[in-house]
Amino acid sequence: YQLCFVISLELSTVSSVTVISASSGLWTLLFSAALLGERVGPVKLASTLLSFGGVLIVVRLGSVPGGAASSGLSPAWGNAAALLSALLYGGYAALLKRDCPDESVVPIPYLFGLIGLLTAVFCAAAIPVLHLMRIERFAPPSGTTLIALLCNALFGSVISNVLLARAMLLASPLVATVGLSLTIPLAIASDVMRSRGRFSKGLLLGTVAVWCGFIGVSTSETLEKRCTTAWGRWRAGPRQRTADAPLERVSRNI
């Protein structure tokens, strides 16, 4: 899914890729229902859609910089790659929760160590092949580039993915996925603080929608239980109170 995401950035615009990638919350919701048997209640569905809508507003009004690279291919291929990336991420999140429900089964550092080992073993063989086919030319990186690559791999990939996996195990794949959408308004807020952008009413509305969607997903089970209880009491109405009146009189007499 990460490979598809990088390819999509090379073929399409950053704003389009960001919006399409934000649909990973919807895919995670569907995969969680199919693989984990997670109940898709109205509050959870509405909160996921609200978060996606907020991302759409933020990206469209936030003027996310960047454009499509001159690859000679249609941006539709980049959008398709972004959609495939979001789809694969939703499946990955649900499978991780199903096969590793807690760290007593497989510790997260051990799991990602295995992922790194398998990636190194199977992907290293592709380097000379891609080099000989002139698809991806290989050259030893300089010392500065190597340090930058190591720092990016440590902080931008390993630590972030480990924390994300822990969030999936402690909460749920959907909560962790929707929580990732918060990075978009936070990134734009960072640009505003550094005088690289400005807030507008629409941008503020989208940011609030993303946060409300995240809070709604995080508290969906509690909210749905309260709504169900309140709905049942409202439907019972005066008949339930009339039926309970003799019992209340008997209890007072006792």
Side-chain angles (χ1 to χ4, degrees), residues 211-223:
W211 278 98
C212 290
F214 174 69
I215 295 173
V217 168
S218 303
T219 60
S220 59
E221 294 183 2
T222 302
L223 291 176

Side-chain angles (χ1 to χ4, degrees), residues 200-213:
S200 62
K201 293 181 180 180
L203 193 60
L204 184 60
L205 176 63
T207 302
V208 171
V210 174
W211 278 98
C212 290

Side-chain angles (χ1 to χ4, degrees), residues 48-248:
T48 305
L49 294 174
L50 179 63
S51 175
F52 176 72
V55 171
L56 179 61
I57 295 174
V58 168
V59 171
R60 291 307 181 191
L61 299 180
S63 300
V64 179
S70 56
S71 58
L73 296 177
S74 170
W77 288 103
N79 296 336
L83 182 61
L84 179 59
S85 175
L87 180 66
L88 291 173
Y89 176 83
Y92 156 75
L95 284 174
L96 179 63
K97 182 69 173 181
R98 188 194 68 177
D99 297 336
C100 183
D102 56 71
E103 291 200 68
S104 63
V105 178
V106 179
I108 291 298
Y110 179 74
L111 174 65
F112 279 90
L114 287 178
I115 293 176
L117 178 62
L118 292 174
T119 302
V121 170
F122 289 103
C123 293
I127 294 178
V129 175
L130 295 175
H131 179 78
L132 293 175
M133 295 179 63
R134 299 180 181 275
I135 297 176
E136 184 75 29
R137 304 295 292 178
F138 176 77
S142 63
T144 304
T145 302
L146 182 60
I147 293 175
L149 289 173
L150 290 175
C151 291
N152 179 71
L154 177 62
F155 296 103
S157 180
V158 176
I159 294 180
S160 62
N161 280 293
V162 167
L163 293 176
L164 181 61
R166 286 187 182 275
M168 292 179 186
L169 300 186
L170 294 174
S172 70
L174 181 60
V175 172
T177 303
V178 174
L180 283 177
S181 302
L182 298 176
T183 60
I184 299 172
L186 288 175
I188 295 180
S190 174
D191 287 339
V192 172
M193 294 175 62
R194 292 180 297 166
S195 299
R196 294 186 177 182
R198 62 183 182 84
F199 266 123
S200 62
K201 293 181 180 180
L203 193 60
L204 184 60
L205 176 63
T207 302
V208 171
V210 174
W211 278 98
C212 290
F214 174 69
I215 295 173
V217 168
S218 303
T219 60
S220 59
E221 294 183 2
T222 302
L223 291 176
E224 287 177 2
K225 287 180 181 179
R226 291 183 177 180
C227 291
T228 302
T229 303
W231 174 253
R233 291 177 178 176
W234 182 83
R235 290 192 63 182
R239 291 181 298 175
Q240 183 66 34
R241 291 193 291 270
T242 302
D244 292 341
L247 296 178
E248 292 178 0

